[in-house]
Every structure is written in C-alpha cells, then in structure tokens.
Amino acid sequence: MECYLGMTASDFCNLQSFIKAHFAHEWLADPVDEGLWFLCGLRAAAGHLQFHHFTLSILRNKAEVSRIFCENMDQMEHKTLQNGYTEDSKLTVSIKTIMAKHAVLSSGAKMWRCLPCVKSELRLDLTLACGQSFRWRETAEGHWTGVMGGRVWTLTQTDDSLWYHVYKNQDNRGEECDRKRKAGVAFQVENKPEKRSRVAVKEEEKPVAVTIGQDTEEEEETLRDYFQLNVKLVDLYREWGAADPHFRRIADIFTGVRMLRQDPTECLFSFICTSNNHISRIQGMVERLCQTLGAPLCQLDQASYYNFPSLSALADNSVEACLRDLGFGYRARFLQQSAKQILDTHGLQWLEGLRSAPYLQARDALRTLPGVGTKVADCVCLMSLDKAAAVPIDTHVWQIAKRDYNYTSGTAQKSITDKLHRDIGDFFRKLWGPYAGWAQSVLFCADLKKFQKLKEMSHLRQPQKEEDVKEEMVVACEKTKIKTEEDKTVKNIKTKAARHKKAKSSV
C-alpha cells in the first residue's frame, strides 16, 4: 500500500505520534508483521531543503528494515527534489508496508485460525503435490502457500487440526475478480498481454503489499469446500480396502489423499497445459500464465502472487502469440480457442453449470473444446465438477492396472483408445464404487517418483500385517499349486510320448 499525507515542517516533531494515531490500530498491534516499516521524507524549514528520514520497525527484523531503507532512501530524495518543494509547501510522505515473510505457525498463532481435521482425513503434503492443483508451494517446512478464491493462503497442519492464514491484498482486485466470475459478470482484465510483459509493467499493475485481514466464516467455508471436508475419507478408505487388498497395503502409507474441488476455469485451463508434460513443468507454465494474464494479489518473500486469469483475459486474440513466446507451444492455441469458444457459444456460467449435469454428459461437453481429450475431460470432471466416479486414464494408470491388477485387456495396443479408457474406468468403478476417482488418485499419488521414499521408509519401519502375510501365502500357495499341476501335466505328456516312441521302435 502507498498513501500520501500532506505535512509541514512543523509537524516533524509529532511524526511518531501521528503515525501511531493513524495506523497503530491496523498494523502496530500485530506481532506477525515483522517486515513492516515506514519510510518518511520531511522537509525542514531552514531556508533550504533538508531531508529527515524516519524509520519505524515493528519487530525483530532490523537488518532487513535497514537494508530496504538504504536501498530506497536515495530514490525517495531524488523524487522529492524533482518535485521542487519550497519552504512553504507541503511534503509528500510515502508510507509503504512490506510483508517480508510468509507466515509460519511457530512465529505465533494469533493471526492463524484452525478447524478440526486429523491427518487420516487430509495430508497436505500428498494432496497438494500429487498433480491435482499446480499452484501450491511448500514455503516453509510443512507450510503450503497458494491462491484460492482470489486470495493467497498459507496452510499447515498438526495431528488433529488444519491451520490457515489468509493474506488480503489492499485493493481486493483478486477477490473482486473471483466474485464477478461467480456472479456471471465479465471481468475484463486491464492488463492485456501485449501491454503486460515481464520486462515492463505499469506502476499500478505491480503487486501491492498486504496486511493481514480478519478471518471470517466465509474463509472457513471456502476451505471446507475446497478440500470437500464433508466427505469422510476414513470411511471410504475402509470400503476400498475391504474390496481391494492392493489398495489396503497402499493406504497404510498414503493416508489422507483427498480430492480437491477446484474452480472449474482454473482446473480446465491448467489441465490443457498437461498434454505431454510433467508436474514440475506444468507448474511453471501455470505460474507464467497467471503472471502474464492474472490480476496481482500480493508479494511475500519477494515472490509475487497472481489470481488465475478470467475467461475474458484468456480469450483475447493476442493471447496465443503471447503464450507461445512464453514456451507454451501448441497448447497456446488450445488455451485461447477454448476460452473464446466458451464465451462465444456457452457463456461465463457454462463450466460451473456442468456440476449439475450427469457425468458422461459433462465429459462429452468438455471434449468439444480444443485441446480437451477424454483424459483431460475426466480430470476436470473429477477435480472441479463433482464427478467422483470419473477415473482419468493415462499411461501411468494403465501401467498400474496391468502391473497391480493383472488387467490384460488391450495389452496389444500401444496407445489408450476411447474404448480402453472406458474399459479400464469401468473396471475400477466396479471395484471401488461411486468414489472410484478418489481411490484412483491415491494409487496415482503412490506411483509418483517424488513419493517413493515414503514406501521405502514404511517398509523399514513397519513389519507386514498378519492378514497381508496370510493373503500373500495363500496367493503363493495357489501359484505353487498351479505350477505343480503344470509340471505334472508336462511330465505326463513326456511320459506318454516316451512310451509311444518305445512301442513304435519295438514294432
């Protein structure tokens, strides 16, 4: 935030009390704002210009405050001299607030709120990093920061609680964009791609500093909705484990993998970027998309956060060329054309309206968009349109089906056809039931390379459960029995052949 207050030189002696009177209620009482600082330049009446710089640090981070002050002092003086102030003129006071750090729970829980949630119902480290959403980063150990509902959040958890900290940008542009999108009002982003580049950004478009806002019931409801906390995951795990011994073994390690309920626009256009791609590269592409076309929200630890672009911003004719320059390749055309088709043919509320449509109808509707195949459509259905039975099938899931479930249909094929996609999906839906897509996400998460250490650590820590050992022994016995019977059959055939040969030679 930046505001300007007119003050004469005679006010200099009262500067500190002035700042406290006007701003203490908003910032000074908050011990979390250790990066808060004030830089004020005042003209002193002495027949010539003099500059007195007053800094006020709220907390411990003196070194950072000093560094920022020194870097900005020369620029502040130069700007003030250029304005040509005289002895009788009022001096502009620039007050800037900078939140230098992401929030960390250990620094004090005063500005955090929590809701009851055990780790068996939600594990942030697995759920936010398994390829559902591409906007969350671990900014401190066990702390995840990302954008949701037009605001920036930091989440962390203890054994029985989910803690959250919400940063509100000063002008609420991100929240306003999100509200208008949900209300069906076209939100035209002021920063069109040809005017908004990483090299030159207009002053008013730069990310503004933030203050901590009071958490509300609306924020808690947003969090509950995003993680779908009304669904009892422990009960689902129990049902899936009873029907599927392989899932039961995986579930002991990968607990709390929960399906997100994302904004349909963000989910769709993020997954259009996933074609022939991997998670880390997709994250980079989505981040560049937001930096280029999204509204700025705030800046934390020198990291700028942006809202996801609106459909109007994505549909602009200049978007394809802009995104190609940013390394999106052929996906740039799909992104722009899909947004334009939605606006021209269906309207702003179409995507969210698909939540009330039957699963197959919603999936087929999505497949009419450029760059949206069956797998992407299923991902959007599952992760944003409330279709819990949607099972996205890619090569990883196909390998899981063949390797862990002896799925043999379509083994001669080199690629996933629509029929194979449907058949594998039906196989898992029959096995896991109406929340098959949720179960599939657990196995997909467990198959990611980044989480293989969890399996190794688990094997070292925990002996196999007795029922699993018995089950594997039964399977081994069955295999041995089959092998023995096969050997006997082969031996009988060889014996008969030998007898036949001997009888023939005696004749």
Side-chain angles (χ1 to χ4, degrees):
M1 184 189 73
E2 191 168 315
C3 55
Y4 299 94
L5 307 169
M7 298 181 65
T8 63
S10 61
D11 293 326
F12 182 73
C13 60
N14 297 320
L15 177 60
Q16 185 170 359
S17 59
F18 174 86
I19 291 175
K20 287 183 178 179
H22 285 78
F23 301 101
H25 68 283
E26 191 169 357
W27 295 307
L28 300 184
D30 183 5
V32 177
D33 291 355
E34 62 182 54
L36 184 66
W37 59 282
F38 296 93
L39 173 61
C40 304
L42 291 180
R43 180 189 60 78
H48 62 280
L49 292 178
Q50 295 178 350
F51 293 91
H52 301 269
H53 298 276
F54 176 83
T55 62
L56 176 60
S57 170
I58 301 307
L59 243 185
R60 299 174 287 276
N61 200 359
K62 305 290 186 181
E64 179 68 6
V65 170
S66 176
R67 182 186 67 78
I68 296 173
F69 172 72
C70 293
E71 288 177 357
N72 286 273
M73 186 167 61
D74 290 342
Q75 181 180 358
M76 180 71 182
E77 288 190 1
H78 179 68
K79 180 178 179 182
T80 310
L81 282 169
Q82 281 186 323
N83 289 337
Y85 291 112
T86 62
E87 183 177 355
D88 297 326
S89 66
K90 292 184 177 182
L91 180 68
T92 297
V93 181
S94 175
I95 302 175
K96 299 182 179 181
T97 63
I98 295 181
M99 180 74 69
K101 300 290 183 184
H102 289 85
V104 179
L105 185 61
S106 59
S107 296
K110 178 181 176 181
M111 296 306 295
W112 290 76
R113 295 195 64 179
C114 71
L115 48 88
C117 184
V118 295
K119 288 188 176 181
S120 57
E121 286 291 336
L122 169 65
R123 274 187 59 178
L124 294 175
D125 58 333
L126 299 179
T127 302
L128 297 179
C130 69
Q132 293 187 56
S133 173
F134 305 99
R135 306 213 59 200
W136 294 93
R137 302 289 187 278
E138 190 174 20
T139 48
E141 186 176 359
H143 291 65
W144 295 82
T145 302
V147 178
M148 176 174 47
R151 299 187 212 171
V152 180
W153 302 61
T154 294
L155 308 176
T156 190
Q157 61 186 148
T158 51
D159 288 340
D160 58 0
S161 298
L162 173 61
W163 293 82
Y164 62 98
H165 181 97
V166 187
Y167 312 85
K168 290 185 179 179
N169 59 302
Q170 208 62 32
D171 58 9
N172 294 323
R173 274 187 289 178
E175 297 171 60
E176 182 67 16
C177 172
D178 194 65
R179 282 196 298 270
K180 287 185 176 183
R181 181 168 60 195
K182 289 181 178 179
V185 179
F187 183 83
Q188 296 290 343
V189 174
E190 298 171 3
N191 315 318
K192 291 189 177 182
E194 67 270 21
K195 295 180 180 178
R196 171 92 172 273
S197 68
R198 300 178 70 182
V199 179
V201 181
K202 297 171 87 174
E203 187 69 25
E204 63 269 22
E205 294 169 353
K206 291 182 179 178
V208 293
V210 295
T211 59
I212 307 295
Q214 294 298 317
D215 294 301
T216 62
E217 292 181 3
E218 180 184 350
E219 290 165 354
E220 182 174 319
E221 183 57 35
T222 297
L223 198 62
R224 289 183 180 278
D225 180 74
Y226 187 73
F227 286 109
Q228 305 193 71
L229 295 180
N230 60 306
V231 178
K232 299 302 179 185
L233 192 61
V234 171
D235 293 344
L236 290 177
Y237 266 60
R238 189 181 300 113
E239 292 175 15
W240 298 328
D244 180 358
H246 174 69
F247 182 92
R248 185 166 65 246
R249 289 190 292 273
I250 293 295
D252 289 339
I253 308 169
F254 291 88
T255 60
V257 180
R258 178 173 284 277
M259 189 55 56
L260 302 177
R261 188 176 192 252
Q262 301 177 59
D263 172 77
T265 298
E266 178 173 338
C267 187
L268 170 63
F269 288 91
S270 294
F271 273 92
I272 289 177
C273 296
T274 63
S275 175
N276 298 316
N277 224 336
H278 54 81
I279 292 178
S280 60
R281 187 162 179 259
I282 298 165
Q283 287 177 327
M285 293 175 74
V286 172
E287 189 64 29
R288 292 195 298 276
L289 185 68
C290 296
Q291 289 173 354
T292 306
L293 301 174
L297 298 177
C298 69
Q299 184 170 324
L300 306 169
D301 278 327
Q302 310 305 315
S304 297
Y305 291 88
Y306 298 82
N307 205 16
F308 199 84
S310 66
L311 281 172
S312 301
L314 290 163
D316 191 276
N317 291 331
S318 61
V319 164
E320 181 181 347
C322 175
L323 295 184
R324 283 188 181 275
D325 290 342
L326 294 174
F328 281 70
Y330 63 88
R331 304 171 193 87
R333 178 169 56 88
F334 293 151
L335 290 165
Q336 190 272 333
Q337 288 186 353
S338 288
K340 190 174 189 306
Q341 183 171 316
I342 291 172
L343 288 179
D344 292 347
T345 308
H346 305 291
L348 281 167
Q349 291 300 297
W350 177 69
L351 276 175
E352 197 152 335
L354 292 177
R355 284 178 168 170
S356 59
Y359 160 48
L360 293 179
Q361 180 181 329
R363 188 183 71 178
D364 291 343
L366 291 171
R367 290 184 62 188
T368 64
L369 299 173
V372 179
T374 306
K375 180 249 182 177
V376 169
D378 268 341
C379 286
V380 178
C381 283
L382 176 64
M383 300 172 194
S384 69
L385 298 182
D386 304 333
K387 315 305 180 198
V391 181
I393 306 298
D394 61 5
T395 54
H396 298 289
V397 178
W398 189 15
Q399 290 300 318
I400 290 171
K402 291 190 291 185
R403 181 190 67 216
D404 301 325
Y405 293 90
N406 296 319
Y407 187 83
T408 57
S409 177
T411 52
Q413 297 176 1
K414 295 183 178 180
S415 61
I416 301 174
T417 62
D418 284 345
K419 182 181 184 305
L420 183 59
H421 190 116
R422 182 178 63 254
D423 290 345
I424 297 176
D426 288 343
F427 170 80
F428 283 126
R429 279 185 282 270
K430 184 177 180 180
L431 178 63
W432 294 323
Y435 278 82
W438 287 52
Q440 179 262 0
S441 71
V442 179
L443 298 188
F444 182 86
C445 177
D447 209 50
L448 293 173
K449 289 182 179 180
K450 66 169 73 176
F451 296 131
Q452 293 312 298
K453 287 185 178 180
L454 290 178
K455 291 182 179 179
E456 297 169 5
M457 292 169 60
S458 177
H459 288 318
L460 292 174
R461 284 198 311 264
Q462 300 176 352
Q464 274 188 300
K465 290 185 177 180
E466 185 178 349
E467 59 266 28
D468 290 340
V469 173
K470 287 181 178 178
E471 185 173 354
E472 290 183 0
M473 289 177 64
V474 170
V475 173
C477 289
E478 289 294 330
K479 289 182 177 178
T480 304
K481 183 179 178 181
I482 293 171
K483 179 67 175 174
T484 303
E485 290 176 353
E486 288 177 349
D487 291 343
K488 286 181 179 179
T489 301
V490 172
K491 187 175 181 180
N492 289 337
I493 292 172
K494 289 181 177 180
T495 303
K496 287 181 180 179
R499 287 175 180 170
H500 180 70
K501 186 178 181 180
K502 185 176 180 181
K504 188 177 181 181
S505 60
S506 62
V507 173

